[in-house]
Structures are given as structure tokens and as C-alpha cells.
């Protein structure tokens, strides 16, 4: 019979601590995955630049394209891949050091990094879990009510949680799994009881909330920065104001769409609400750390919405003030900041991608590409041209496994083309920005939350893709129809 625990190793059996020990073993990359982006970059480098494109711009495009392919192929973690791209720009002499490192001083990047630190407080204090239990206790008497409760949790947490993966995997998924198991719904034959519906609804709600706030998904500030490079200012308040109506409508409609396509077998789940109330009772009153965290989030939302207009305080400054409050109050410690590896990782890859995209625009590659694309839609009128560009941008996400990679590769060119076709700049920038989160609905590999929720095993691939396609069409109609009308009402175009 196998032992439940392994016997303690004797000193003689312990691995050596020197160079041959496990800690010093090489961690090789996957050679095929590394050769693919290198081959792409080398091939583009030696192809003659098209007419109208200078050699430095074309060579930077070759490095940029290789970097994006590397982000998708993942021979190394994303941050490491972008560092390789950064070094390539320096070694080849395409960029000077001050140009190549300029992204690290970008205030938009520090906004999203600081928001990661703040979101750590939401998880550390348990505020996120308390919010989820609260909404489930109030709305959880049916599977649809549970779906709305989980969506409401995601919505409340989204403005201060730029990692949609953390929201989906750290807060929402454990609640979904717990509720599903309590009703005997496990991956496999019983998944359709309630687990498959809740998983699918939670995933699509996460894509919607990611689109509603500038700080709800790490790629949103990248889109805003790329828009700013083309003279279109997108503030936190403008993004939230434009997204609030189509976002709330989508959160109300999409769970109904999912229920129609992929209905749960159970129709009533009163025990879920009762259990959540019991767990809330066990938690007791809010701790002082939760109260400080709540007050900080409320203050951040107020300043992000109004601070720039009335106090001259930028969104980045506001985020840093919020972080200082959490540090002084003891909600976060400096060790918490040092250990927030996702934030520091984001700082690196975000800075490199922003730098490359900015330099491509400055060197004339993006204007040239946009001019070429605009010739394809010339004579159509800006409305049909913009709809066509939007659909191509949306459904090309079937080719991507990262929102950020997709934004980096295509957002700037599609925005410039839309504006050349006559689309109102702010409308075009915001709609393409919203779509940069919404297109995550299409596949089970589309973004960070997708493999987290798909990996639970409740929803088969065919059902995931079928539901994703229908939800995508519904979201396009809601965000471009109702959203476009709403932005017209508030004077954004």
C-alpha cells in the first residue's frame, strides 16, 4: 500500500546545494516557439520597405511583429519576450536608449500598475469575497439571479481591479464552483444542472465589466495611450460615462442570452442564497481594513470621475494617492507591493509595447498603414466603413490569445483608418476600446479569464464557441446601437 506521506529524506539523500542542485538548473526555452518569432522578424527585416515607408520604420515594424508573434507563441513569459524585443531595438540601432526606454516613464502605465497594487487590497482584506456573498444572498434564489449576483460583484470590483483574471479566478470562480458543487453539479454529466450556465455567464459578464472602465482591464490604458498618440484624449471619466449605459444593458441582457442558448436544468436555487447569508453571518461585521478599503475605492471612483476636471488631478495621481492611503493605514504593506508580481510584470511588457507602438506612429508606419487601409473603404461613407472596420477588428480576435497583443497589433491602425474615413475621433477611439475587451467572448483561449473558467471543465469547447459567437453578435448590437445613441446624446460625436 502506498504511503500517504513520504518519509523524511536523510542528509545523504538531499540534493547538493552547489551548481548541480535543482535551484541552479537551466530552464530552457521551447526552441520551436522561439524560432517562429525570430523567423518572422528576420523575414520582415530583409523584405524591402514598401513605398512611403522609411527603413527605420520598417525595421522597427519587423521587431514589433516578431514581439507580438512571440507574445502569442510564448517561448518565454510575456515580460521576457518584450524585453527581447526591447534589446533588439537597441542592438540593431533602430532606436536610441532614451527612445527605447521611454515607455517606463509613461504615466498611463503607472496608473495600471498602481491599480494592481490597490486591487491586492481588495483580495487581501476579503472585501471581494464579502461582496460576492452579499449579492448571492440577495439575488441567488434562481440560476439567473445567481448570474446577476456574480455580474454585480464583478461590476463593483472592476474599476479598482485591472486584472480581469484575478476577478474571474480569485473571486468569481471559487463562488461558482462552490455553488455548483452544493447542487451536485460537477464537470461531466451533471454540469448542465447549474455549473455550465454559471460558468458561461460569469465569463461573459467579466468581458463586459472589463469594457466598462479604463482601469478594469490591463489593455484598456494601452488603447487610451494609442488614441492619445493620435490626438484623441480618452480620460477615465469619459470612458466610464460612455460605457455605463451599454454596459449595464449588456449585463442585464447577456445572462438572458446565455440562458436561452445554454439553459441550466435547475430552475430554483434557494439554498444558495441561504448558504451565502450564513457565510456572511459567520464573517461578522466589516473589519477596519475592509472599511478603509471601501472608503478608498469610493474616493478613487469620485476622483477618477471628477478630479481631473475640477481639481486638476490626473487619474495616475489619484491612484497613487489611494495607494499611499492603503500603505499608511496598514491595509497594504511594502512587502505586499514587492510581492505583487503581476503588477511589476505588467510594467515591463506594457512599457515596451507602448514604446514600440508610439515609435511606429512617430516614424510614420501607422499613418502609412492607415492610409492604405482607408483606400479600401473609401467612398463607403464613414458609418458603413466604421461598422466594417469594427467587425473585422472584433472577429480577428479568433487569431489571438491575448487582448493586449491584439490591441498592440491592430488598435492604432484601425483607429487611424476610422478617423480617415470620417468617423468622429472620440467615438471611434471609445468603441474600438470597448471592443478590445468584448471580443474576448469568442473563444476559450481569448484572454486570461477564458482558460481559468473553461479549465473548470463545465462547458465543452463546442458549446463555449457557439455561445461566444451569439453573445458576441448581441454585444456588438448593444454597444454600437444603444452605446452609439447614448454617446450621441451626451455629445461625444
Amino acid at each position: 500500500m502506498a504511503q500517504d506521506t513520504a518519509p523524511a529524506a536523510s542528509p545523504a539523500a538531499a540534493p547538493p546545494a552547489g551548481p548541480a542542485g535543482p535551484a541552479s538548473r537551466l530552464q530552457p526555452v521551447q526552441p520551436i516557439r522561439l524560432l517562429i518569432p525570430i523567423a518572422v522578424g528576420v523575414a520582415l527585416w530583409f523584405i524591402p520597405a514598401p513605398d512611403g515607408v522609411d527603413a527605420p520604420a520598417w525595421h522597427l515594424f519587423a521587431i514589433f511583429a516578431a514581439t507580438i508573434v512571440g507574445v502569442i507563441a510564448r517561448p518565454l513569459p510575456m515580460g521576457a519576450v518584450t524585453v527581447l524585443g526591447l534589446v533588439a531595438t537597441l542592438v540593431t540601432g533602430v532606436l536610441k536608449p532614451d527612445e527605447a526606454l521611454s515607455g517606463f516613464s509613461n504615466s498611463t502605465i503607472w496608473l495600471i500598475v498602481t491599480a494592481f497594487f490597490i486591487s491586492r487590497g481588495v483580495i487581501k482584506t476579503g472585501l471581494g469575497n464579502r461582496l460576492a456573498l452579499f449579492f448571492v444572498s440577495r439575488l441567488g434564489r434562481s440560476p439567473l439571479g445567481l448570474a446577476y449576483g456574480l455580474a454585480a460583484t464583478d461590476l463593483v470590483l472592476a474599476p479598482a481591479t485591472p486584472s480581469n483574471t484575478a476577478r474571474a479566478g480569485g473571486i468569481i470562480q471559487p463562488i461558482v464552483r462552490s455553488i455548483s458543487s452544493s447542487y451536485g453539479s460537477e464537470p461531466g454529466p451533471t454540469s448542465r444542472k447549474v455549473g455550465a450556465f454559471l460558468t458561461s455567464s460569469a465569463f461573459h459578464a467579466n468581458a463586459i465589466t472589463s469594457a466598462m472602465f479604463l482601469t478594469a482591464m490591463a489593455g484598456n490604458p494601452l488603447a487610451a495611450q494609442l488614441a492619445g498618440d493620435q490626438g484623441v484624449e480618452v480620460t477615465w471619466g469619459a470612458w466610464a460615462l460612455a460605457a455605463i449605459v451599454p454596459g449595464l444593458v449588456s449585463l442585464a441582457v447577456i445572462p438572458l442570452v446565455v440562458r436561452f442558448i445554454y439553459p441550466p436544468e435547475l430552475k430554483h436555487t434557494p439554498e444558495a442564497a441561504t448558504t451565502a447569508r450564513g457565510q456572511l453571518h459567520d464573517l461578522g461585521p466589516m473589519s477596519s481594513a475592509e472599511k478603509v478599503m471601501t472608503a478608498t475605492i469610493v474616493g478613487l471612483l469620485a476622483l477618477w470621475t471628477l478630479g481631473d476636471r475640477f481639481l486638476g488631478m490626473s487619474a495616475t495621481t489619484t491612484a497613487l494617492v489611494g495607494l499611499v492611503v492603503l500603505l499608511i493605514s496598514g491595509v497594504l504593506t511594502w512587502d505586499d507591493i514587492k510581492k505583487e508580481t503581476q503588477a511589476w510584470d505588467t510594467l515591463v511588457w506594457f512599457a515596451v509595447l507602448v514604446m514600440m507602438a508610439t515609435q511606429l506612429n512617430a516614424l510614420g508606419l501607422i499613418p502609412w498603414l492607415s492610409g492604405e487601409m482607408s483606400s479600401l473603404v473609401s467612398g463607403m461613407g464613414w458609418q458603413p466603413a466604421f461598422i466594417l472596420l469594427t467587425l473585422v477588428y472584433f472577429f480577428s480576435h479568433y487569431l489571438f490569445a491575448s487582448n493586449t497583443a491584439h490591441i498592440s497589433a491592430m488598435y492604432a491602425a484601425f483607429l487611424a483608418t476610422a478617423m480617415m474615413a470620417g468617423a468622429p475621433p472620440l467615438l471611434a477611439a471609445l468603441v474600438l476600446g470597448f471592443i478590445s475587451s468584448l471580443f474576448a467572448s469568442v473563444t476559450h483561449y481569448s484572454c486570461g479569464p477564458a482558460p481559468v473558467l473553461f479549465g473548470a471543465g463545465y462547458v465543452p469547447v463546442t458549446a463555449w464557441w457557439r455561445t461566444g459567437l451569439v453573445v458576441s453578435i448581441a454585444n456588438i448590437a448593444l454597444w454600437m446601437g444603444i452605446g452609439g445613441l447614448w454617446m450621441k446624446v451626451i455629445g461625444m460625436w
Side-chain angles (χ1 to χ4, degrees):
M1 180 180 294
Q3 293 178 315
D4 292 331
T5 57
S10 64
S24 61
R25 289 176 184 167
L26 294 175
Q27 301 294 323
V29 301
Q30 300 185 45
I32 300 300
R33 292 190 178 190
L34 182 60
L35 287 174
I36 292 173
I38 291 176
V40 169
V42 171
L44 288 173
W45 183 281
F46 288 105
I47 292 176
D51 292 338
V53 178
D54 295 333
W58 185 251
H59 290 159
L60 179 58
F61 172 70
I63 297 172
F64 174 73
T67 303
I68 296 301
V69 172
V71 168
I72 297 171
R74 297 186 72 84
L76 290 167
M78 186 172 176
V81 170
T82 57
V83 168
L84 292 179
L86 170 67
V87 172
T89 65
L90 292 169
V91 171
T92 58
V94 171
L95 296 177
K96 298 177 181 178
D98 58 337
E99 295 171 331
L101 297 173
S102 61
F104 291 91
S105 63
N106 187 288
S107 62
T108 302
I109 294 171
W110 283 100
L111 166 63
I112 205 69
V113 169
T114 307
F116 269 108
F117 297 146
I118 293 168
S119 69
R120 171 54 50 190
V122 174
I123 297 173
K124 179 183 177 181
T125 60
L127 180 60
N129 184 58
R130 183 184 291 275
L131 284 169
L133 291 174
F134 171 79
F135 285 118
V136 169
S137 71
R138 296 296 187 273
L139 302 172
R141 294 186 175 278
S142 68
L144 183 62
L146 286 169
Y148 284 133
L150 295 171
T153 303
D154 209 323
L155 175 63
V156 172
L157 296 175
T161 313
S163 174
N164 51 357
T165 306
R167 295 199 308 275
I171 297 172
I172 302 299
Q173 170 59 16
I175 299 293
V176 169
R177 188 58 191 263
S178 175
I179 293 172
S180 302
S181 296
S182 70
Y183 283 97
S185 182
E186 301 291 347
T190 60
S191 64
R192 291 294 299 273
K193 277 189 173 182
V194 71
F197 168 72
L198 291 181
T199 298
S200 188
S201 295
F203 172 66
H204 294 297
N206 182 268
I208 294 168
T209 60
S210 296
M212 291 181 68
F213 305 98
L214 185 64
T215 46
M217 195 273 288
N220 291 347
L222 175 58
Q225 178 64 42
L226 296 176
D229 290 342
Q230 298 187 37
V232 185
E233 182 182 8
V234 179
T235 64
W236 194 97
W239 185 300
L241 179 61
I244 191 66
V245 169
L248 291 177
V249 172
S250 287
L251 287 176
V253 170
I254 294 305
L256 292 170
V257 173
V258 175
R259 188 180 66 169
F260 177 77
I261 302 169
Y262 207 53
E265 295 174 354
L266 294 179
K267 305 305 178 186
H268 303 284
T269 55
E271 293 85 356
T274 303
T275 300
R277 282 194 293 271
Q279 291 176 339
L280 275 175
H281 181 269
D282 293 339
L283 286 177
M286 291 181 67
S287 66
S288 57
E290 288 178 286
K291 292 178 181 178
V292 172
M293 192 70 242
T294 301
T296 301
I297 291 176
V298 171
L300 285 171
L301 293 178
L303 288 174
W304 275 334
T305 304
L306 304 172
D308 187 47
R309 178 179 299 179
F310 297 104
L311 300 176
M313 183 180 293
S314 69
T316 303
T317 302
T318 295
L320 289 169
V321 170
L323 175 61
V324 168
V325 170
L326 296 180
L327 287 170
I328 292 175
S329 65
V331 171
L332 291 176
T333 66
W334 189 245
D335 281 341
D336 293 326
I337 303 302
K338 292 190 296 182
K339 293 175 183 177
E340 188 57 38
T341 56
Q342 191 174 8
W344 298 116
D345 180 55
T346 299
L347 172 65
V348 173
W349 62 253
F350 210 150
V352 175
L353 292 179
V354 165
M355 175 276 295
M356 287 186 177
T358 300
Q359 292 298 324
L360 283 172
N361 189 58
L363 292 172
L365 192 282
I366 297 299
W368 170 81
L369 180 60
S370 303
E372 294 295 308
M373 291 174 59
S374 65
S375 65
L376 300 177
V377 296
S378 61
M380 295 179 63
W382 77 262
Q383 292 95 337
F386 184 51
I387 292 173
L388 177 62
L389 290 168
T390 299
L391 292 175
V392 172
Y393 183 63
F394 193 111
F395 288 107
S396 61
H397 198 64
Y398 279 105
L399 305 176
F400 289 88
S402 163
N403 289 3
T404 303
H406 194 162
I407 295 167
S408 302
M410 300 178 68
Y411 178 90
F414 273 70
L415 173 60
T417 303
M419 290 192 297
M420 285 184 180
L426 186 56
L427 171 71
L430 287 170
V431 169
L432 291 174
F434 301 153
I435 285 174
S436 298
S437 290
L438 296 172
F439 56 31
S441 293
V442 292
T443 68
H444 63 295
Y445 55 79
S446 60
C447 60
V452 170
L453 290 165
F454 175 77
Y458 281 102
V459 185
V461 173
T462 53
W464 193 285
W465 280 51
R466 182 176 64 250
T467 304
L469 177 60
V470 176
V471 167
S472 296
I473 294 171
N475 271 328
I476 291 171
L478 291 170
W479 284 77
M480 294 194 71
I482 294 175
L485 289 174
W486 167 243
M487 284 186 272
K488 181 70 171 178
V489 169
I490 59 179
M492 288 189 168
W493 63 282

